[in-house]
Amino acid sequence: VLGMTHIKRLLIFLLGIDALVIFLHQALGDKHLFFNLDAEQNLAALIGGAELLIISGLSLLIWFLFNKLGEIKIKSLPWLALALITAGLAFDDMLALHERITFLVNKTTELGNASGQSFNWLLYYTPLILITLIIFSLIIKQIWLEQKSAAYYFVAGVTTWLLSLITELIGRTMILAPTINVPLYHSLIIAEEALELIGASLILIACATLLKNIYEKNIVIKNHHSIVV
């Protein structure tokens, strides 16, 4: 099982990977689209998608363990919902589905701009974002009582993701303006992607920390039953 030292090392490792993605954008992004943060299906999408899939797997494991330990169903359901949402977000991130879907909707219905670009995807995804925030709030309320360290990481991760969305919204607004401050726009792209990656890393650590707590609690319960027997 992961100890706190291992979890801290894992956090440093994940943040190091996030920093490497930003560095590669700065060093190679102009010549290679795979490293460019403003391109789709790039390195950042691959890393972010992988982290989201790991979060999905950990959330599914937490849901399974809560059920196995006899916890009430309503306690485990938010984790199942988180597993499904993060799996969906992973594929969305890696395949740029939100961009493709929004482009198609804009082009077909003309609900967006005449060019059919996908700058307004946040508007279409607002209901899903709100549902996700409700699930996040249920999980935070739960783990605040279970494991404070996990709660701190989770709150930090959700806050970082929200800052990423706000940064993207500002960037999308800039694109539609008559003139664009190019250096500021590029800085916003870096900030948005960095916040998105860091948010995923923090939530992954939150899940790992909670799993450690559940495992240790399960060991205590087993030892207690052995003593009683």
Side-chain angles (χ1 to χ4, degrees):
V1 66
L2 287 174
M4 288 308 298
T5 302
H6 294 96
I7 287 176
K8 288 178 181 178
R9 287 176 180 172
L10 178 60
L11 176 60
I12 293 170
F13 172 76
L14 291 174
L15 293 178
I17 294 294
D18 299 340
L20 179 61
V21 171
I22 305 302
F23 171 77
L24 290 173
H25 163 78
Q26 296 281 50
L28 303 172
D30 290 338
K31 297 180 180 179
H32 303 280
L33 284 179
F34 181 67
F35 299 110
N36 192 312
L37 294 177
D38 200 24
E40 297 300 333
Q41 295 178 290
N42 54 15
L43 177 62
L46 184 64
I47 298 296
E51 287 187 335
L52 287 167
L53 284 176
I54 294 172
I55 293 170
S56 178
L58 293 177
S59 301
L60 200 60
L61 183 57
I62 291 170
W63 169 76
F64 173 77
L65 289 175
F66 274 146
N67 284 320
K68 185 179 179 181
L69 293 173
E71 300 284 359
I72 55 176
K73 294 291 183 182
I74 196 170
K75 184 176 181 178
S76 63
L77 283 178
W79 291 100
L80 179 60
L82 180 62
L84 295 174
I85 287 173
T86 48
L89 288 174
F91 289 109
D92 180 281
D93 203 11
M94 290 187 285
L95 301 176
L97 294 179
H98 64 283
E99 301 279 354
R100 299 173 191 272
I101 292 171
T102 305
F103 183 92
L104 180 62
V105 172
N106 284 344
K107 204 69 174 175
T108 305
T109 66
E110 296 185 357
L111 289 173
N113 50 78
S115 65
Q117 294 300 315
S118 56
F119 304 139
N120 57 328
W121 72 268
L122 282 169
L123 176 64
Y124 300 150
Y125 273 60
T126 297
L128 179 59
I129 292 171
L130 292 175
I131 292 171
T132 303
L133 287 175
I134 291 171
I135 292 169
F136 283 162
S137 65
L138 292 173
I139 288 174
I140 290 168
K141 182 180 179 181
Q142 178 192 124
I143 62 177
W144 194 264
L145 302 174
E146 295 275 345
Q147 227 306 331
K148 282 288 195 299
S149 297
Y152 292 147
Y153 283 126
F154 204 95
V155 169
V158 171
T159 303
T160 306
W161 267 354
L162 285 174
L163 289 174
S164 173
L165 288 176
I166 292 170
T167 304
E168 176 153 4
L169 181 61
I170 295 171
R172 300 298 183 181
T173 303
M174 286 181 63
I175 289 177
L176 299 176
T179 57
I180 301 176
N181 184 330
V182 177
L184 177 58
Y185 176 70
H186 285 160
S187 297
L188 285 173
I189 290 173
I190 294 173
E192 174 210 329
E193 294 294 339
L195 290 168
E196 188 176 327
L197 288 169
I198 292 170
S201 296
L202 290 169
I203 291 177
L204 193 159
I205 292 297
C207 293
T209 303
L210 183 61
L211 271 174
K212 171 183 174 294
N213 178 259
I214 295 171
Y215 176 84
E216 290 175 347
K217 187 178 292 186
N218 190 35
I219 292 297
V220 170
I221 292 172
K222 285 183 177 180
N223 289 339
H224 176 72
H225 286 167
S226 298
I227 294 171
V228 170
V229 173

